[in-house]
Amino acid sequence: MFNYIHYITKQTEEHNFDNISRTEAYLNYYSQHPEIEWAFLASIVSRNAGWNMTDLKLPMFQLLLGKTSCDKLFLTYEEANARIFADAYPQLLIYALSKKEKRPLFFLLKYFNVSQYMKNEWIHFWESKQKTRLVMALIVNEQHIIENPIIQKHSVFRELPYRMQNRLKLNAVLLPTITGKLYGSYTKDFTKLHRRIELGKTIYSLLFQQHIYKQCYQFSKQIPHM
């Protein structure tokens, strides 16, 4: 058991280094475990987070809003995505280990402070293989993970840099394709928990439409996230 805990901890810390490593980790995991559709969704959302963070480094934003304000919002985005990864990636690894051992190892979730809600959902998935239900559970869980420590705590979401990104719809989640065609969705009031959950569910339903999925997955595999 302690070997598993050490392995999961080490892997999570290594891949939680930055936005690029998180995006790659999600995609690589999905490539090995395609039944866990949330991992591909997470890789796409993580790419979008990286693009939003990059926007804040553009001269236009630096000039209009000031470097200090842009850096503050950048670090808040980084913290939010790191917290989600720290919660979700151990769950993914425990499922992968369960597959390898051919027995459920979800008792390990308690060592990573994963909610009882998600423990129940993983057990249900192990028994039922209901992919969509697991995706919905993970969407709900991960948005709750960041609600109090990030969204409610940080005043940055009430300040000008975020409000400008929000007004310009730069916080939209886009689904890039190898043909260059873009799909995606946008929601106002992203600081509201139910809005973020709704957006996650909308993006998931778009992403796994067959014609979008194939092109988006091809883009993700062929175009490195930088």
Side-chain angles (χ1 to χ4, degrees), residues 7-57:
Y7 165 76
I8 294 165
T9 301
K10 187 170 183 293
Q11 288 292 308
T12 302
E13 289 176 350
E14 285 181 1
H15 292 301
N16 206 2
F17 179 73
D18 60 17
N19 176 264
I20 294 173
S21 61
R22 288 190 291 269
T23 302
E24 290 178 347
Y26 285 135
L27 182 61
N28 290 337
Y29 183 92
Y30 175 72
S31 297
Q32 297 172 41
H33 308 281
E35 69 274 22
I36 308 300
E37 295 178 334
W38 182 86
F40 186 39
L41 173 65
S43 76
I44 293 296
V45 172
S46 184
R47 274 193 187 242
N48 276 263
W51 294 334
N52 290 339
M53 291 160 71
T54 300
D55 287 340
L56 293 169
K57 298 297 184 181

Coordinates of all heavy atoms in Angstrom, one line a residue, residues 7-57:
Y7 N 4.2 6.2 -5.0 CA 4.1 6.3 -6.5 C 3.1 7.4 -6.9 O 3.4 8.3 -7.7 CB 3.7 5.0 -7.1 CG 3.3 5.1 -8.5 CD1 4.2 5.2 -9.6 CD2 1.9 5.0 -8.9 CE1 3.8 5.3 -10.9 CE2 1.5 5.1 -10.2 CZ 2.5 5.2 -11.2 OH 2.1 5.3 -12.5
I8 N 1.9 7.4 -6.4 CA 0.9 8.3 -6.7 C 1.3 9.8 -6.4 O 1.2 10.7 -7.1 CB -0.5 8.0 -6.1 CG1 -1.0 6.7 -6.6 CG2 -1.5 9.1 -6.3 CD1 -2.1 6.0 -5.8
T9 N 1.9 9.9 -5.2 CA 2.3 11.2 -4.7 C 3.4 11.8 -5.6 O 3.4 12.9 -6.0 CB 2.9 11.1 -3.3 OG1 1.8 10.6 -2.4 CG2 3.3 12.5 -2.8
K10 N 4.4 10.9 -6.0 CA 5.5 11.4 -6.8 C 5.0 11.7 -8.2 O 5.4 12.8 -8.7 CB 6.6 10.2 -6.9 CG 7.9 10.6 -7.6 CD 8.9 9.5 -7.4 CE 10.2 9.9 -8.0 NZ 10.2 10.0 -9.5
Q11 N 4.2 10.9 -8.8 CA 3.7 11.2 -10.1 C 2.9 12.5 -10.2 O 3.0 13.3 -11.1 CB 2.8 10.0 -10.6 CG 3.6 8.7 -11.0 CD 4.5 8.9 -12.2 OE1 4.1 9.4 -13.2 NE2 5.8 8.6 -12.0
T12 N 2.0 12.6 -9.2 CA 1.2 13.8 -9.1 C 2.1 15.1 -9.0 O 1.8 16.1 -9.7 CB 0.2 13.8 -8.0 OG1 -0.6 12.6 -8.1 CG2 -0.7 15.0 -7.9
E13 N 3.0 15.1 -8.1 CA 3.9 16.2 -7.9 C 4.7 16.5 -9.2 O 4.8 17.7 -9.6 CB 4.9 16.0 -6.7 CG 4.2 16.0 -5.4 CD 5.1 15.7 -4.3 OE1 6.3 15.2 -4.5 OE2 4.7 15.8 -3.1
E14 N 5.2 15.5 -9.8 CA 6.0 15.7 -11.1 C 5.2 16.3 -12.2 O 5.6 17.3 -12.8 CB 6.6 14.4 -11.5 CG 7.8 13.9 -10.7 CD 8.4 12.6 -11.2 OE1 7.9 12.1 -12.3 OE2 9.3 12.1 -10.6
H15 N 4.0 15.8 -12.4 CA 3.1 16.3 -13.5 C 2.4 17.6 -13.2 O 1.8 18.2 -14.1 CB 2.2 15.2 -13.9 CG 2.8 14.0 -14.5 ND1 3.6 14.1 -15.6 CD2 2.8 12.7 -14.1 CE1 4.0 12.9 -16.0 NE2 3.6 12.0 -15.1
N16 N 2.4 18.0 -11.9 CA 1.7 19.2 -11.5 C 2.7 20.4 -11.5 O 2.5 21.4 -10.8 CB 1.1 19.1 -10.1 CG -0.1 20.0 -9.9 OD1 -0.5 20.8 -10.8 ND2 -0.7 20.0 -8.7
F17 N 3.8 20.3 -12.3 CA 4.8 21.3 -12.3 C 4.3 22.6 -12.9 O 4.6 23.7 -12.3 CB 6.0 20.8 -13.1 CG 7.1 21.8 -13.2 CD1 7.9 22.1 -12.1 CD2 7.4 22.5 -14.4 CE1 9.0 23.0 -12.2 CE2 8.4 23.4 -14.5 CZ 9.2 23.7 -13.4
D18 N 3.6 22.5 -14.0 CA 3.0 23.7 -14.6 C 1.9 23.4 -15.6 O 1.5 22.2 -15.7 CB 4.1 24.5 -15.4 CG 4.8 23.7 -16.5 OD1 4.3 22.7 -16.9 OD2 5.9 24.2 -17.0
N19 N 1.4 24.3 -16.2 CA 0.2 24.1 -17.1 C 0.5 23.1 -18.2 O -0.3 22.3 -18.6 CB -0.3 25.4 -17.7 CG -1.4 25.3 -18.7 OD1 -1.2 25.2 -19.9 ND2 -2.6 25.2 -18.2
I20 N 1.7 23.2 -18.8 CA 2.1 22.3 -19.9 C 2.2 20.9 -19.4 O 1.7 20.0 -20.1 CB 3.5 22.8 -20.5 CG1 3.3 24.1 -21.2 CG2 4.0 21.7 -21.5 CD1 4.6 24.7 -21.7
S21 N 2.8 20.7 -18.3 CA 3.0 19.3 -17.8 C 1.6 18.7 -17.4 O 1.3 17.5 -17.6 CB 3.9 19.2 -16.6 OG 3.5 20.0 -15.5
R22 N 0.7 19.5 -16.9 CA -0.6 19.0 -16.5 C -1.4 18.6 -17.8 O -2.0 17.6 -17.8 CB -1.4 20.1 -15.7 CG -0.9 20.3 -14.3 CD -1.9 21.2 -13.5 NE -1.9 22.6 -14.0 CZ -1.1 23.5 -13.5 NH1 -0.2 23.2 -12.5 NH2 -1.1 24.7 -13.9
T23 N -1.4 19.5 -18.8 CA -2.1 19.2 -20.0 C -1.6 17.9 -20.7 O -2.4 17.1 -21.1 CB -1.9 20.4 -21.0 OG1 -2.4 21.6 -20.4 CG2 -2.7 20.2 -22.3
E24 N -0.3 17.7 -20.7 CA 0.3 16.5 -21.3 C -0.1 15.3 -20.5 O -0.4 14.2 -21.0 CB 1.8 16.7 -21.3 CG 2.3 17.7 -22.4 CD 3.8 17.8 -22.4 OE1 4.5 17.3 -21.4 OE2 4.3 18.4 -23.3
A25 N -0.1 15.4 -19.1 CA -0.4 14.3 -18.3 C -1.9 13.8 -18.5 O -2.1 12.6 -18.6 CB -0.2 14.7 -16.8
Y26 N -2.8 14.8 -18.6 CA -4.2 14.4 -18.8 C -4.3 13.7 -20.2 O -5.0 12.7 -20.3 CB -5.0 15.7 -18.9 CG -5.4 16.3 -17.5 CD1 -5.3 17.7 -17.4 CD2 -5.8 15.6 -16.4 CE1 -5.6 18.3 -16.2 CE2 -6.1 16.2 -15.2 CZ -6.0 17.5 -15.1 OH -6.3 18.1 -13.9
L27 N -3.7 14.3 -21.2 CA -3.8 13.7 -22.6 C -3.2 12.3 -22.6 O -3.8 11.4 -23.2 CB -3.2 14.6 -23.6 CG -3.3 14.1 -25.1 CD1 -4.8 14.0 -25.5 CD2 -2.6 15.1 -26.0
N28 N -2.0 12.1 -22.1 CA -1.3 10.8 -22.1 C -2.1 9.8 -21.3 O -2.2 8.6 -21.7 CB 0.1 11.0 -21.4 CG 1.0 11.7 -22.3 OD1 0.8 11.8 -23.5 ND2 2.1 12.3 -21.7
Y29 N -2.8 10.2 -20.2 CA -3.6 9.3 -19.4 C -4.8 8.9 -20.3 O -5.1 7.7 -20.3 CB -4.1 10.0 -18.2 CG -4.9 9.0 -17.3 CD1 -4.3 8.3 -16.3 CD2 -6.3 8.9 -17.5 CE1 -5.0 7.4 -15.5 CE2 -7.0 8.0 -16.7 CZ -6.4 7.3 -15.7 OH -7.1 6.4 -14.9
Y30 N -5.4 9.8 -20.9 CA -6.6 9.5 -21.7 C -6.2 8.5 -22.9 O -7.0 7.6 -23.2 CB -7.2 10.7 -22.3 CG -8.4 10.4 -23.3 CD1 -9.6 10.0 -22.8 CD2 -8.2 10.6 -24.7 CE1 -10.6 9.6 -23.7 CE2 -9.3 10.3 -25.5 CZ -10.5 9.8 -25.0 OH -11.5 9.5 -25.9
S31 N -5.1 8.7 -23.5 CA -4.6 7.8 -24.6 C -4.5 6.4 -24.1 O -4.7 5.5 -24.8 CB -3.3 8.3 -25.1 OG -3.4 9.6 -25.6
Q32 N -4.1 6.2 -22.8 CA -4.0 4.9 -22.2 C -5.3 4.3 -21.7 O -5.5 3.1 -21.6 CB -2.9 4.9 -21.1 CG -1.5 5.3 -21.6 CD -0.6 5.5 -20.5 OE1 -0.6 4.7 -19.5 NE2 0.3 6.5 -20.6
H33 N -6.2 5.2 -21.3 CA -7.5 4.8 -20.6 C -8.6 5.6 -21.3 O -9.2 6.5 -20.6 CB -7.4 5.1 -19.1 CG -6.2 4.5 -18.5 ND1 -6.1 3.1 -18.1 CD2 -5.0 5.1 -18.1 CE1 -4.9 2.9 -17.6 NE2 -4.3 4.0 -17.5
P34 N -8.9 5.3 -22.5 CA -10.0 6.1 -23.2 C -11.4 6.1 -22.6 O -12.2 6.9 -23.0 CB -9.9 5.6 -24.6 CG -9.3 4.2 -24.5 CD -8.4 4.3 -23.4
E35 N -11.6 5.1 -21.7 CA -12.9 5.0 -21.1 C -13.1 6.2 -20.1 O -14.2 6.5 -19.7 CB -13.1 3.7 -20.4 CG -12.3 3.4 -19.2 CD -10.9 2.9 -19.5 OE1 -10.4 3.1 -20.6 OE2 -10.3 2.2 -18.6
I36 N -12.0 6.8 -19.7 CA -12.1 7.9 -18.7 C -12.1 9.2 -19.5 O -11.1 9.9 -19.7 CB -10.9 7.9 -17.7 CG1 -10.8 6.5 -17.1 CG2 -11.1 9.0 -16.7 CD1 -12.0 6.1 -16.3
E37 N -13.3 9.5 -20.0 CA -13.4 10.6 -21.0 C -13.1 12.0 -20.3 O -12.7 12.9 -21.0 CB -14.8 10.6 -21.6 CG -15.1 9.4 -22.4 CD -16.5 9.4 -23.0 OE1 -17.4 10.0 -22.4 OE2 -16.7 8.7 -24.1
W38 N -13.3 12.1 -19.0 CA -13.0 13.3 -18.3 C -11.5 13.7 -18.5 O -11.2 14.9 -18.6 CB -13.3 13.2 -16.8 CG -13.0 14.5 -16.1 CD1 -13.9 15.5 -15.9 CD2 -11.8 14.9 -15.4 NE1 -13.3 16.5 -15.2 CE2 -12.0 16.2 -14.9 CE3 -10.6 14.3 -15.2 CZ2 -11.1 16.9 -14.2 CZ3 -9.6 15.0 -14.5 CH2 -9.9 16.2 -14.0
A39 N -10.6 12.8 -18.7 CA -9.2 13.1 -18.8 C -8.9 13.9 -20.1 O -8.1 14.8 -20.1 CB -8.3 11.8 -18.8
F40 N -9.6 13.5 -21.2 CA -9.5 14.3 -22.4 C -10.1 15.7 -22.3 O -9.6 16.7 -22.7 CB -10.1 13.5 -23.6 CG -9.9 14.2 -24.9 CD1 -8.6 14.8 -25.2 CD2 -10.9 14.2 -25.9 CE1 -8.4 15.4 -26.5 CE2 -10.6 14.8 -27.1 CZ -9.4 15.4 -27.4
L41 N -11.3 15.7 -21.7 CA -11.9 17.0 -21.4 C -11.0 17.9 -20.6 O -10.8 19.1 -20.9 CB -13.2 16.8 -20.6 CG -14.0 18.0 -20.1 CD1 -14.4 18.9 -21.3 CD2 -15.1 17.6 -19.2
A42 N -10.4 17.3 -19.6 CA -9.5 18.1 -18.7 C -8.2 18.6 -19.5 O -7.8 19.7 -19.2 CB -9.0 17.2 -17.5
S43 N -7.8 17.8 -20.4 CA -6.6 18.2 -21.2 C -7.0 19.4 -22.1 O -6.2 20.4 -22.2 CB -6.0 17.1 -22.1 OG -6.9 16.9 -23.2
I44 N -8.2 19.4 -22.6 CA -8.6 20.5 -23.5 C -8.8 21.8 -22.6 O -8.4 22.9 -23.0 CB -9.9 20.2 -24.2 CG1 -9.6 19.1 -25.2 CG2 -10.5 21.4 -24.9 CD1 -8.7 19.5 -26.4
V45 N -9.5 21.6 -21.5 CA -9.7 22.8 -20.6 C -8.4 23.3 -20.1 O -8.2 24.5 -20.0 CB -10.6 22.4 -19.4 CG1 -10.7 23.5 -18.4 CG2 -12.0 22.0 -19.9
S46 N -7.4 22.4 -19.8 CA -6.1 22.9 -19.4 C -5.4 23.7 -20.5 O -4.7 24.7 -20.2 CB -5.3 21.6 -18.9 OG -4.1 22.0 -18.4
R47 N -5.5 23.2 -21.7 CA -5.0 24.0 -22.8 C -5.6 25.4 -22.8 O -4.8 26.4 -23.0 CB -5.3 23.3 -24.2 CG -4.3 22.3 -24.6 CD -4.5 21.9 -26.0 NE -3.7 20.8 -26.4 CZ -2.7 20.8 -27.3 NH1 -2.5 21.9 -28.0 NH2 -2.0 19.7 -27.6
N48 N -6.9 25.5 -22.7 CA -7.5 26.8 -22.7 C -7.0 27.7 -21.5 O -6.8 28.9 -21.7 CB -9.0 26.6 -22.6 CG -9.7 26.4 -24.0 OD1 -10.2 27.3 -24.6 ND2 -9.7 25.1 -24.4
A49 N -6.8 27.0 -20.4 CA -6.3 27.8 -19.2 C -4.9 28.4 -19.6 O -4.6 29.5 -19.2 CB -6.2 26.9 -18.0
G50 N -4.1 27.6 -20.2 CA -2.8 28.0 -20.6 C -2.9 29.2 -21.6 O -2.1 30.2 -21.5
W51 N -3.8 29.1 -22.5 CA -4.0 30.2 -23.5 C -4.5 31.5 -22.7 O -4.0 32.6 -23.0 CB -5.0 29.9 -24.5 CG -4.6 28.7 -25.4 CD1 -3.3 28.4 -25.7 CD2 -5.4 27.8 -26.2 NE1 -3.2 27.3 -26.6 CE2 -4.5 26.9 -26.8 CE3 -6.8 27.7 -26.3 CZ2 -5.0 25.9 -27.6 CZ3 -7.3 26.6 -27.1 CH2 -6.4 25.8 -27.8
N52 N -5.4 31.4 -21.8 CA -5.9 32.5 -21.0 C -4.7 33.1 -20.2 O -4.6 34.4 -20.1 CB -7.0 32.1 -20.1 CG -8.3 31.8 -20.8 OD1 -8.5 32.2 -22.0 ND2 -9.1 31.0 -20.2
M53 N -3.9 32.3 -19.7 CA -2.7 32.8 -18.9 C -1.7 33.5 -19.8 O -1.2 34.5 -19.4 CB -2.1 31.6 -18.1 CG -3.0 31.1 -17.0 SD -2.5 29.4 -16.5 CE -1.0 29.7 -15.6
T54 N -1.6 33.0 -21.0 CA -0.7 33.6 -22.0 C -1.2 35.0 -22.4 O -0.4 35.9 -22.6 CB -0.5 32.7 -23.2 OG1 0.1 31.4 -22.8 CG2 0.5 33.3 -24.2
D55 N -2.5 35.1 -22.5 CA -3.1 36.4 -22.9 C -2.7 37.5 -21.9 O -2.4 38.6 -22.3 CB -4.6 36.3 -22.9 CG -5.2 35.5 -24.0 OD1 -4.5 35.3 -25.0 OD2 -6.4 35.0 -23.9
L56 N -2.5 37.1 -20.7 CA -2.2 38.1 -19.6 C -0.7 38.6 -19.8 O -0.4 39.6 -19.2 CB -2.4 37.5 -18.2 CG -3.9 37.2 -17.9 CD1 -4.0 36.4 -16.6 CD2 -4.6 38.5 -17.7
K57 N 0.0 37.9 -20.6 CA 1.4 38.3 -20.8 C 1.6 39.2 -22.1 O 2.7 39.7 -22.4 CB 2.3 37.1 -20.9 CG 2.4 36.2 -19.7 CD 3.0 36.9 -18.5 CE 3.1 36.0 -17.3 NZ 3.7 36.7 -16.1

